[in-house]
Amino acid sequence: MASDPMASIPNVCGGGWAETKAAYRLLDNDRLDFREVLRAHSVPILERIRQQSRVLCLQDTTELDYSGRPSMVGLGRLNYEQRQGLYLHPTLAISEAGVALGVADCWHWARLPKGEPDLAESLRWVEGYERVAELAALAPETRLVYVADREGDLRALIDRAEQLGFAADYLIRVRHDRKLNDPLDGKLRAAVEAQPVLGTIAFDLPANGNRPARQVTQTLRVARLELKTRNGPGPKVTVILAWEEAPPEGREAVEWCLITNEPITTLEQARARIEWYRKRWWIEVYFRILKSGCRIEALQLRTRERLERALVLYLIVAWRILMLMTLGREHPEWCCEVVFSVEEWQTAWAIHHRTPPPSKPPDLGTIVRLVAGFGGWLGRKNDPPPGPKALWQGMTKLSAYVEAVTAIQTAEIKFPKRKRIRH
């Protein structure tokens, strides 16, 4: 599955019907608990986390649409009854530099029909923080930061973090303009806007759809505020307002208002939090890999239980693709064998260069670029680094190349030299 993520389950099982049937039996086995599979994945994640001084734990929700499949049992409604599927809420751990470390946790659920009592879906954010706090206890030398978009702006989460003694920090985009404990301060937004400018930050905003790439310069304002509570002192939060005051004509200003439990006193501290929030985009890339690269919405499994067991495997496969992309960007000088097997990198080299592979393994950046080239990445002078689509398509082709080379070597096939045809 990892070497050919776009393939269906029968195609992954290259041994024919017997292996395909065995795979479906595995997914149908009640003794296979998908939570245990994810816990097994969390063991090496913990080792990677312990090697970092700070780790960002990104959370977000995406929907998986399985509409039009009446044979699938256990699905729930999406935004309306005719659309059926599941919701997925993973925790993606990444390093401060942006390298994907693994999927630390995952919440998924199916909504009940309208009118039936159901759990509050906001629980996924609060429980998500609790799981991050539990992970932080296992890596005391590493500071974990819970990062979420506006949907995670919940008072219950802020209060729970305080109850747990801020075992992990949080950084959340503001959705609610909350009241403050001091009536003279008014509301959260006005209070931070009244602060003097702390400094500026500049970065390149990548292209997205019809939006072209451009440079953004934001002014930063910071305020330490106390939220309103019924009795006694309320929780204290730091609010960071990053505002693009002069966007190009016809372009919407880029503006973020973030809250964190950590006191922020310097410009460098505020800049760091903005950079952390910008890395939240990696979970959107991760969802794209899951849906387009692993094609999880194309799975033809008949029960929710089978689907859950398959999904947890694809969660790990999608992480591997993202890890390959981010590791190739942040540590291109590493040896390629930290990711690729000997057969993979030697085959990639031979196919691309049409020469025998070197005796010493090349660096990781070189092999990542070769594999991305199989997936359509051109590698021109001004091209950005390889993206996820080029890598998952390249890995699919590399898998086929490795299988062909292995078959030729095993069968000791020798091809006759081609004769020149004179015209």
Side-chain angles (χ1 to χ4, degrees):
M1 289 166 67
S3 60
D4 193 359
M6 297 184 72
S8 65
I9 291 177
N11 285 338
V12 167
C13 301
W17 171 237
E19 285 195 8
T20 302
K21 189 175 181 180
Y24 284 125
R25 282 180 173 172
L26 176 68
L27 297 178
D28 203 32
N29 191 337
D30 292 336
R31 294 173 61 190
L32 176 62
D33 188 343
F34 70 89
R35 299 175 190 84
E36 291 299 325
V37 177
L38 202 56
R39 288 192 191 102
H41 174 60
S42 68
V43 173
I45 292 176
L46 184 58
E47 293 305 313
R48 298 185 198 105
I49 287 175
R50 286 170 174 165
Q51 295 171 17
Q52 308 291 326
S53 59
R54 195 181 304 268
V55 169
L56 310 180
C57 297
L58 315 180
Q59 291 198 7
D60 206 353
T61 304
T62 190
E63 63 177 28
L64 304 181
D65 190 351
Y66 297 101
S67 302
R69 302 184 201 169
S71 61
M72 292 188 73
V73 179
L75 301 179
R77 62 184 174 87
L78 297 177
N79 55 343
Y80 53 90
E81 289 291 343
Q82 286 71 26
R83 295 185 67 234
Q84 295 285 300
L86 299 174
Y87 285 93
L88 198 66
H89 185 88
T91 301
L92 178 66
I94 68 168
S95 70
E96 196 172 357
V99 176
L101 304 177
V103 184
D105 184 41
C106 187
W107 228 72
H108 61 268
W109 73 98
R111 284 176 175 169
L112 295 178
K114 280 188 176 181
E116 294 189 20
D118 206 348
L119 288 174
E121 293 182 2
S122 59
L123 281 175
R124 69 188 186 274
W125 298 98
V126 180
E127 287 196 7
Y129 177 85
E130 292 174 347
R131 299 293 84 76
V132 172
E134 291 169 3
L135 187 62
L138 300 176
E141 302 300 319
T142 305
R143 194 62 186 167
L144 270 59
V145 184
Y146 175 99
V147 183
D149 210 358
R150 283 175 286 201
E151 199 177 354
D153 182 18
L154 300 169
R155 181 60 185 267
L157 192 155
I158 296 171
D159 291 340
R160 185 58 177 153
E162 188 172 41
Q163 291 167 6
L164 295 176
F166 304 112
D169 299 318
Y170 61 77
L171 183 67
I172 303 170
R173 189 172 179 182
V174 171
R175 180 182 184 183
H176 304 289
D177 192 12
R178 291 187 169 86
K179 292 181 180 180
L180 303 178
N181 235 1
D182 188 343
L184 297 177
D185 290 336
K187 289 190 175 183
L188 180 148
R189 176 75 186 216
V192 70
E193 286 179 347
Q195 300 300 312
V197 173
L198 186 63
T200 62
I201 184 173
F203 55 88
D204 292 325
L205 186 71
N208 184 19
N210 295 326
R211 185 192 71 193
R214 65 181 178 90
Q215 189 177 65
V216 172
T217 301
Q218 294 176 319
T219 57
L220 301 182
R221 290 177 169 83
V222 175
R224 186 71 173 170
L225 304 170
E226 185 176 313
L227 300 181
K228 184 176 179 59
T229 189
R230 292 183 179 179
N231 299 307
K236 290 185 177 181
V237 298
T238 301
V239 185
I240 306 171
L241 178 62
W243 182 29
E244 186 183 22
E245 296 188 1
E249 186 177 353
R251 299 294 174 189
E252 187 177 354
V254 178
E255 179 187 332
W256 298 314
C257 188
L258 310 175
I259 58 171
T260 177
N261 60 291
E262 296 183 279
I264 304 296
T265 57
T266 68
L267 177 59
E268 288 306 312
Q269 290 174 334
R271 281 177 177 167
R273 272 65 186 175
I274 297 299
E275 290 299 328
W276 297 350
Y277 180 74
R278 289 183 60 217
K279 287 183 173 61
R280 198 203 68 84
W281 177 248
W282 283 127
I283 199 165
E284 304 291 348
V285 176
Y286 179 71
F287 289 152
R288 182 187 170 201
I289 296 171
L290 269 174
K291 294 183 178 183
S292 299
C294 299
R295 302 179 69 243
I296 58 174
E297 290 178 312
L299 290 172
Q300 300 287 338
L301 300 171
R302 294 188 177 182
T303 67
R304 176 182 168 182
E305 290 74 22
R306 289 182 181 180
L307 191 58
E308 287 174 339
R309 296 179 188 116
L311 284 176
V312 73
L313 299 177
Y314 280 111
L315 285 172
I316 300 170
V317 170
W319 158 75
R320 184 175 183 268
I321 296 170
L322 184 62
M323 180 269 294
L324 179 61
M325 184 181 77
T326 54
L327 201 60
R329 293 184 181 191
E330 298 299 328
H331 299 288
E333 75 284 357
W334 285 8
C335 174
C336 67
E337 290 187 356
V338 300
V339 175
F340 296 96
S341 67
V342 175
E343 293 80 9
E344 286 176 332
W345 75 256
Q346 288 188 348
T347 300
W349 182 281
I351 293 293
H352 179 82
H353 292 286
R354 297 291 193 269
T355 60
S359 56
K360 182 182 178 181
D363 60 61
L364 180 62
T366 297
I367 301 302
V368 166
R369 290 191 294 272
L370 293 187
V371 173
F374 298 152
W377 183 70
L378 298 177
R380 295 167 297 189
K381 184 177 180 181
N382 295 323
D383 282 349
K389 184 176 181 180
L391 283 171
W392 77 60
Q393 291 183 341
M395 288 299 294
T396 298
K397 287 190 176 181
L398 179 60
S399 173
Y401 294 152
V402 170
E403 188 174 352
V405 169
T406 303
I408 291 170
Q409 292 174 341
T410 303
E412 297 183 350
I413 299 173
K414 295 182 179 180
F415 297 101
K417 291 184 178 180
R418 294 177 60 186
K419 294 181 180 180
R420 286 189 178 182
I421 300 175
R422 299 194 177 189
H423 297 282

